Amino acid sequence: MKSAIKIGRDNSNDVIINEPGISRNHAIVTDLGNGSYEVKDLGSSNGTFVNRQRITLHIIQPGDELMVGSSRVDWQAAFQSSLSKKTDTIIQEDPFSKTRKTIMVGSSDDNDIVIDNSFVSAHHAKVSVLKNGNYFLQDMGSSNGSFVNGARVITKNFSKTDVVKIAGSDLPNDWFKHKKLRINFLKDHKKAVWTSFSMILLLTAGTIGYINRCSWFGWDCNLSAEQVYQKNKNTLVYIEHEYYYTILFNGTRYYVGKNKNFTDQTEANPDKKYLLAYSRTSGSGCFIKPDGSILTSSLIINPWLNETERSKMISEVIASKTIKGLNNGNSSQAVLCGETAVLKWLPNGAVNNQQNFIEASAIAVCMFTDTTSVVIQSVKKGLPLNTAVADISFSNKPGKNMHNTEEKYYSYFSFPKNGEIMKDSFYARKDSFDINKFPAMPILDSLPGIQEGSTVFNSRGELIGLVQKQQVSLLPKFINQIKN
């Protein structure tokens, strides 16, 4: 009976070398029974060497030096230790897993693997691939036996790295590639595959139908107040706008701001570098496009269009006498407008400090029209992490109205102290107003002071309008700006 020792990093080996350069199953040394030994490299990464020469398969004699990777192996001492543990018992064990496919090995031509050797029986052994991916050898009552790693077996579980001999002959190197051992999952499990596929298809269709039950079938569309908030909280932003007024008078353009030394004093100057911004306004908005476009009130974008503040500003400039010749009698000849000093925004949930604000750009105008912009765009032209675009479910096509629900939700920012988290709240109110019949709707008196640019949602969590000039301007009015 032949014996063998296996060498490698895995604990199943006879000689275990726990070094980085050693493969899990590195090499095997087999006693040939005639005083010689055969060493075989098992496809290792760093090689097997006999007397400093790299080998794949080699006959060694006592006294030859054997190295695996860079580690020297006292193979003779290890071999004697391994032999002392061997017995003459013929191994017989049950397969560790269910048999999937089997081939026959023998000298007869009707075998799957034919070994032309007089010591090999006609139908010598069966080799099976198991469900766990390993293999199983069954001797078929042969005359000269079947062996795994030098031990005679009747039945034995083994892996590709084990040395299997049929009588005195090796299995072919590519025996495990035999077509009858190949696993074709679809072919081998056709009925189970089709059953599973049908179940997955039905489950997928049911899941998609359930997810889209509102948009497809009009079922269960309305959300709770908490669901509306959760759906839209990542779309909301807080906006700040610092700005100058501009006055064109007698051919000269002046900036109107605050004196840098006396910040409560308004004055005009042709060069804004000598001035601080005249004022600051703030409000809300929400993302409407992935390119960083934010919907907000035109009074946030163009705060200089506030008639009350314009009158106050003109009076302050006349009093400052910083525009020669400007007085109450000719102030109507001055052309008023404004210019941004800083336009910036902060997403809901961010910490309120200046380094977290992101600048934005907008189209400024000097008078209100139906096309006055209600959109600003982040200079980064994209969305930050953990933000989203509001759900706008209508278009300007006939029949594509907004969903009119009794409950409506208004966003509202409570401005936190520096270093605190910016957090938006929602107010819920019921009314019978038909949002598809009019361009705007009034804000209920029961609501607290709602900011310019605050967004309004229906019970489906869809955006339907925004607060502008202290009324709710409904989205169809801005469809061209929103959809373009």
Side-chain angles (χ1 to χ4, degrees), residues 51-98:
N51 298 329
R52 307 287 176 172
Q53 299 296 315
R54 186 164 184 165
I55 59 93
T56 301
L57 184 69
H58 192 78
I59 302 298
I60 59 174
Q61 305 288 341
D64 286 338
E65 181 187 58
L66 173 63
M67 295 185 71
V68 291
S70 60
S71 300
R72 184 176 178 275
V73 178
D74 189 351
W75 63 274
Q76 291 175 258
F79 207 94
Q80 292 302 320
S81 175
S82 177
L83 284 175
S84 67
K85 300 175 184 178
K86 302 290 182 181
T87 69
D88 291 333
T89 303
I90 298 177
I91 296 173
Q92 184 172 3
E93 60 188 28
D94 294 328
F96 293 159
S97 184
K98 185 178 179 180

Side-chain angles (χ1 to χ4, degrees), residues 96-221:
F96 293 159
S97 184
K98 185 178 179 180
T99 299
R100 300 183 73 172
K101 295 193 173 187
T102 300
I103 57 173
M104 183 66 73
V105 182
S107 59
S108 175
D109 290 340
D110 61 351
N111 289 282
D112 299 300
I113 294 179
V114 177
I115 300 177
D116 187 13
N117 187 312
S118 59
F119 291 99
V120 176
S121 299
H123 298 96
H124 196 107
K126 286 182 180 180
V127 176
S128 302
V129 61
L130 303 180
K131 192 174 182 179
N132 66 4
N134 283 329
Y135 298 88
F136 186 72
L137 177 67
Q138 180 182 358
D139 187 87
M140 302 302 293
S142 66
S143 300
N144 295 303
S146 301
F147 301 84
V148 176
N149 298 331
R152 187 164 183 169
V153 303
I154 297 175
T155 53
K156 180 74 171 80
N157 294 274
F158 70 99
S159 65
K160 291 179 185 177
T161 58
D162 290 316
V163 176
V164 177
K165 289 186 179 291
I166 304 301
S169 300
D170 289 322
L171 285 174
N173 289 334
D174 60 350
W175 63 267
F176 52 86
K177 295 181 180 179
H178 194 283
K179 64 181 181 180
K180 286 191 176 181
L181 293 180
R182 293 176 189 166
I183 303 301
N184 185 324
F185 186 83
L186 293 178
K187 184 177 179 181
D188 296 343
H189 304 83
K190 187 179 295 184
K191 183 176 180 180
V193 167
W194 278 111
T195 301
S196 299
F197 178 75
S198 300
M199 291 179 66
I200 291 171
L201 192 62
L202 288 171
L203 181 61
T204 301
T207 301
I208 293 173
Y210 180 78
I211 292 172
N212 294 281
R213 65 193 183 281
C214 175
S215 57
W216 289 1
F217 312 114
W219 301 340
D220 197 20
C221 293

